[in-house]
Amino acid sequence: AQEQVMIRLYQDLLPSMVHIRVSQRLQGREDSPSFPGFHDWPQDDFQQDFFQQGEGSGFVWDQEGHVVTNNHVVEGAERVTVIFADGVEIQAKVIGADPDSDLAVLKLEGRNDGANPVALGDSDTLRVGQMAVAIGNPFGQQFTMTTGIVSALGRTISSTNSSFSIPEVVQTDAPMNPGNSGGPLLDLHGRVIGVNTQIISRSGFSSGIGFSVPI
């Protein structure tokens, strides 16, 4: 029965999930910032500018084509491409961001017909031990689902690019890796209960301690 629940959850949520690719033009390597999951593009011998490319996850918020992700996924991006599970790629614009809570909102440019918004859960009613599901794009492996439980509630973590601390964070052991950032944490009804944002790991890969900004 649980297996069937997971299958249906994935199939129902897949149209609402997105893979986000971003590129940023940077000046000079020595002063370049470091971004999780970013890789250098080859630099032209006749150009001093170069690009870095990165990726993350997100989900459709409403039928108007708004997409929610992490601020650190899209901060400073010159070009943002949103990729759906059916292979459709749409350019998007960052229309709002809050570095303190590490959240950002994108707006799909051009086609946004048929957008399937997610259902929202209530993070105030969560209980430690209930199952949690993450869908994202770890290491560029598009639309990967992992499962675990809500490991703890009420955690406080430091924001990635701000001195602000994010309160009431949800801790989960659902495996998350680079590329999962900005994707949803879901309950077994497929409702979003958090936005996956950070992990604790000495290796940089999943060690079973991940954090989600409560919805």
Side-chain angles (χ1 to χ4, degrees):
Q2 180 180 337
E3 186 178 79
Q4 291 304 312
V5 168
M6 293 295 184
I7 292 171
R8 286 196 300 271
L9 185 151
Y10 183 78
Q11 292 175 339
D12 291 345
L13 267 293
L14 197 57
S16 304
M17 303 296 107
V18 298
H19 183 194
I20 298 172
R21 287 181 180 164
V22 302
S23 61
Q24 181 185 42
R25 185 187 298 273
L26 298 176
Q27 300 282 348
R29 290 182 179 274
E30 292 183 0
D31 298 325
S32 300
S34 175
F35 295 88
F38 271 75
H39 309 283
D40 288 351
W41 280 4
Q43 183 177 12
D44 191 302
D45 291 338
F46 299 98
Q47 292 180 345
Q48 294 183 355
D49 293 344
F50 74 104
F51 286 88
Q52 284 189 324
Q53 185 176 20
E55 58 189 9
S57 305
F59 53 92
V60 177
W61 181 261
D62 58 25
Q63 293 182 335
E64 284 69 51
H66 293 102
V67 171
V68 171
T69 186
N70 282 152
N71 177 67
H72 77 256
V73 170
V74 296
E75 186 174 30
E78 185 171 282
R79 183 182 180 90
V80 180
T81 304
V82 173
I83 306 166
F84 288 84
D86 60 3
V88 172
E89 299 187 10
I90 303 176
Q91 299 306 306
K93 180 180 180 180
V94 180
I95 63 168
D98 179 19
D100 289 343
S101 59
D102 196 18
L103 295 175
V105 177
L106 314 178
K107 179 68 168 63
L108 300 177
E109 296 182 339
R111 176 191 157 185
N112 58 28
D113 56 297
N116 294 279
V118 296
L120 302 182
D122 184 356
S123 49
D124 289 337
T125 63
L126 294 178
R127 296 292 181 268
V128 173
Q130 75 176 73
M131 294 198 68
V133 177
I135 299 179
N137 306 282
F139 303 111
Q141 302 304 303
Q142 294 182 321
F143 308 107
T144 296
M145 180 171 74
T146 56
T147 63
I149 62 170
V150 173
S151 303
L153 296 168
R155 298 299 197 204
T156 299
I157 61 173
S158 297
S159 184
T160 53
N161 294 317
S162 167
S163 59
F164 183 76
S165 293
I166 307 173
E168 301 302 321
V169 170
V170 180
Q171 181 182 327
T172 180
D173 66 350
M176 291 186 282
N177 286 291
N180 272 113
S181 292
L185 189 69
L186 306 148
D187 62 19
L188 285 187
H189 298 283
R191 300 173 299 203
V192 179
I193 55 177
V195 182
N196 300 323
T197 187
Q198 290 184 32
I199 61 173
I200 290 180
S201 173
R202 294 181 178 178
S203 67
F205 308 130
S206 177
S207 60
I209 301 179
F211 299 110
S212 298
V213 178
I215 198 62

